[in-house]
Amino acid sequence: MENDPLANTFHVARSQEEEVSVLTLSGYLDAYTAPQFEKAIQEEYDSGHIRIVVDCAGLTYISSAGLGVFMSFIEDVREAGGDIKICSVVPTVYQVFDILGFPELFEIVPARADAIQKFSRASGQEA
Amino acid sequence: MKPLRVPAIAALAGALLLVFLFPRIDPSAIFGAALDRAEAIQRARQLTSRYGVSTAGWKVAATQVTDEKLRAYLSAFPDDPAARLFAPVAWGVVFIEPTGKQTVRVKLFADGRPAEWELKPASEAPAPPVSPETVLQDFAGSSSSAFKPVDQSSWNFPMVATLTLSRHNGRLLSAVLSPAYARGFSYDPRTGNRVGTGVAGFLSFAGFCVAFALAMRACSRGWLSWRVPAGSAAALVVWGALMMWAGPDYQAMLYGKSGGLQIQLDEVARQNVVDSTGASGASLKIAALALFVGPVCLPFLTGFAFAAAGFAAARGRLRRKWYSLELLFRGKIVARQVSLSIAAGALCGLAAAAAPYATAILFRAARLLFHNMGVLSAPVPLTALVLPAAAVPAFGFLGFAYPAAYRLRKRFLRIGALAVLAAVFLFVSAYAFDRLLPSLIATAIAAAIYFRLYQKFDLLAVAAAMMTARAAAAPLILLAQPAGGLRDSGVRLLAFLAAAIAAFVNFGVRGRDAESGDAEDLPEPEIASTQAPSVSNLKRLEAEFQVARKAQQDALPAAPPVIQGYSLSGSCDPALQVGGDLYDLFPLPDGRLAIAVADVSGKGVPAALYMMVTKGLLSAIVQDSSDLAHILQQINLHLYRACKRKVFVTMAAVAIHPASRRLEYARAGHNPIVWRRALRGETMLRKPPGLGMGMCPNERFSRTLRLEEIDLEPGDAVVLYSDGITEAVNASMEQFGEERLMHSVESTDGQSAAETRTAILRDLADFTAGAPARDDVTVVVLRVSSTAIPGCVT
């Protein structure tokens, strides 16, 4: 009678840091929780926030459906001049990113500060 | 009408049995009450004023008192003069002075003769004296001449009865007529507390505690909407208020509090399924409170705990058993799905109600016990028709415990657990007769009906059946009474019951389906957020899924080709009806044999559709290309165009040249390939770079993709698999992982590909220990024979 410990254990927190939108993911991102993440990222995109950092420090698992959410936005965000950067990925989740080839497509950095710094450096260069 | 055909036939059979047998063998029909509730109160009031107490303006409560011991005695000695003096059914009436200080308790036999009268506490107010002879005449009637005085305050009818008076200054304080049971007559008043019943009661109480803890956990973690406990609590308050105003239990409590409680306590101990071990040693007031709290509050608490725990744990197919209850909880009582379940349950409930009577035919010597007597004493008899307590076993056994037991993976454990459950259900519910065996048989018949109902319909249907089985007795009891007022209530109740069943049948057959999205608080793995399926829609969907599943399975290779010097074995098990995994084996134009395992992102139907697309692309492209890189690039090109990055596919592909044993492989975002080098005792993961397909334009995909080659040696094995294996988790959320997979492969050196594949799946099953697969599980094993000379594809 073990209840499913995976149910409803995913959470997205949203915050702004230096004109960068930070989505902090925690828990279990799979086919059932991916829509929550998709909604959050869609809202950022719709409100014109195209510098997005996804902080995966609390993310314990990601399935292909979760990876699909990253894929479905990256091109639009980049075409609009922004980017999605990923930070603080725990080894088990990084392994999944790595298998699929995410390091080829996304900038994955160790800490949130690095990601934000990269954005501000890029905008500094533009200026 | 079709889904209700069998329930309707069962109901007809049950109703016929009830109409024929109930008036003949039910004790409430044999020992009828000549007074209805109002007449009993009036008679008691007259008697009380004769004894010098005016009860005008006093609060009054009336209840039915049954005495199984007396009944057993009268059955054993039908010619005893006691039969003229005593009746096992009586009215208990209590008058309570407005300040609550003084009470008068009157017990009247079914024919209206007093059995007990008591004023408490003794009043100092002057009152006309009552002569003992008057009291004797009132209590003993035509038999009074047989009573001989023993002393100032008692008379004796030798071997039959004693009348005991208590007087103060000529004023009557109490009078009690008690039977003198013949020597040698013994009666075990605790027929409900047999050993089996005690053990079963303990087990069900333990189950309740577990369910309560799980329910609390589900609430605290947000798996259940806060509306569930809040709604249950609100319903309890409303129900409690209604019962105090119009229900029988509050009346019983008031009478019980005034004394004369023991008989009713036995009744409670027997009827209260959940807590049959309580009450007996408790003080009078607590016991009296139990008379009210037991029937009114406990069913809500236990029902809530079992239902919440069962619902929170129900996933996949099990969740369907809760669907109509969810709709009902949202107030959609006339929705077709809800009405159909209630109608089917109510009809089958009539059959279950007849089970004890059918059993009684076989056991002539066994006596049916009094039941559902509240209907006679409830100020509004309708309230005795709805008995929430009756539905608790539906949630406890079928909603909570049965799915848990059924989930046990080991066969003997599962069978054992189910047997214990069945035994617990039989014992806690076996209280129809004074003997155990017929009670068990009657319960078993009813249990079979409930279980079939659960399989064919859902939990709401079972709950409705259990409540109907209990409620069906109410109009029958009323109709069998000599008192005209009670018979009239019986007619009204019967009409109400029939009309309610007819209404539910009507809505169940012709009502509107609930709208989509009515019941999707929690993620539903199987048919998430599609239209709310009605039973017929559900059947159709199920049938369509079966077709889709078969089409998918047919798309997998039927039998691996035979290649001299190699063995090959693969399988693909979707977690849901249809899956997003794929494996394929195909000869390349250059004579090599290619093996591919692919995994589509996401789950369910969308993934299944893209899986078939991928299969089609693969089949088309390999017709004229032997280059693995080119094959994967072409698939990426088409998927990228088709999927708009919403869906991607990962794939591992190998091409083996059988004669040279040279294996070429590529990986498009898929799990690494396991290579077991048996002769060297090495196991390694091969992971050349490569992106998933459908994620990015072909230029970038091609730039990243790299082909690699290895030379296999005799005994080597190559394993392709999907993440459904490595990411499968056990109860403590550990993943199976690559290490365990490699270990499984290592442990089967020298065995065939099929044996290696079986070992991997067996180790996986042992690891997850019955936890349901969350993802499709695909594995393909290629093994080079240790001895044979490599040949060519045949």
Side-chain angles (χ1 to χ4, degrees), chain B residues 265-436:
Chain B
L265 279 182
D266 289 343
E267 194 79 1
V268 168
R270 208 179 54 235
Q271 286 192 356
N272 197 333
V273 174
V274 174
D275 188 8
S276 64
T277 51
S280 59
S283 74
L284 197 70
K285 275 192 176 165
I286 293 173
L289 197 63
L291 276 178
F292 184 60
V293 172
V296 174
C297 296
L298 275 183
F300 272 85
L301 186 66
T302 46
F304 164 74
F306 283 130
F311 178 77
R315 288 278 184 277
R317 301 175 70 152
L318 275 177
R319 178 54 67 84
R320 286 183 215 157
K321 298 292 180 195
W322 295 88
Y323 178 68
S324 57
L325 266 167
E326 286 183 77
L327 289 176
L328 184 64
F329 203 77
R330 286 169 166 73
K332 301 196 178 290
I333 193 166
V334 296
R336 204 179 61 81
Q337 296 92 330
V338 176
S339 291
L340 187 71
S341 288
I342 296 180
L347 291 171
C348 291
L350 292 178
Y357 302 96
T359 312
I361 301 175
L362 300 173
F363 294 86
R364 290 294 173 88
R367 279 178 293 109
L368 278 162
L369 300 179
F370 286 107
H371 59 106
N372 210 2
M373 296 304 282
V375 68
L376 292 174
S377 52
V380 179
L382 195 61
T383 54
L385 209 55
V386 185
L387 301 161
V392 169
F395 300 110
F397 288 92
L398 292 173
F400 173 73
Y402 171 73
Y406 199 76
R407 208 179 283 180
L408 292 170
R409 186 57 80 92
K410 294 237 159 48
R411 193 156 172 265
F412 68 94
L413 277 181
R414 189 170 66 231
I415 291 172
L418 290 174
V420 168
L421 261 186
V424 168
F425 179 81
L426 288 186
F427 274 94
V428 293
S429 317
Y431 45 76
F433 291 88
D434 64 333
R435 294 187 189 179
L436 186 60

